[in-house]
Amino acid sequence: MRDEIESPCIKICIVHPAERICTGCLRSLDEIGSWSRMTPEERRAIIAALPERAASLKQRRGGRAARLARAGKQPL
């Protein structure tokens, strides 16, 4: 068994359209693709940054009410 930092992947791979990061593990596509070639220090730095990234995904766009407001209609 290799002595390395495990991937934060949780097998929920959906890329956020605006942030361009995986909503499951919070890594960028470049980080995911190069994970196996990174040094342990590089991986630790990314893992340390993940909690900060989560906050950018928690903002909601407004759902149905926002769509109706943009269209000039009142929600039911």
Side-chain angles (χ1 to χ4, degrees):
M1 187 158 156
R2 296 186 334 190
D3 183 27
E4 62 184 41
I5 297 172
E6 290 191 33
S7 166
C9 180
I10 59 170
K11 311 255 189 277
I12 299 175
C13 303
I14 301 170
V15 177
H16 189 277
E19 298 297 324
R20 304 297 299 156
I21 59 176
C22 175
T23 59
C25 69
L26 304 173
R27 293 178 293 167
S28 72
L29 297 178
D30 288 338
E31 291 167 344
I32 292 167
S34 60
W35 190 259
S36 64
R37 295 181 305 278
M38 290 181 180
T39 66
E41 293 77 22
E42 290 171 319
R43 292 178 185 179
R44 281 188 200 96
I46 291 169
I47 288 175
L50 298 181
E52 187 176 306
R53 296 178 187 183
S56 66
L57 299 183
K58 295 201 188 265
Q59 292 181 327
R60 297 198 53 173
R61 295 184 308 207
R64 182 174 181 269
R67 284 192 308 276
L68 291 173
R70 285 191 301 268
K73 301 176 182 177
Q74 294 295 320
L76 298 176

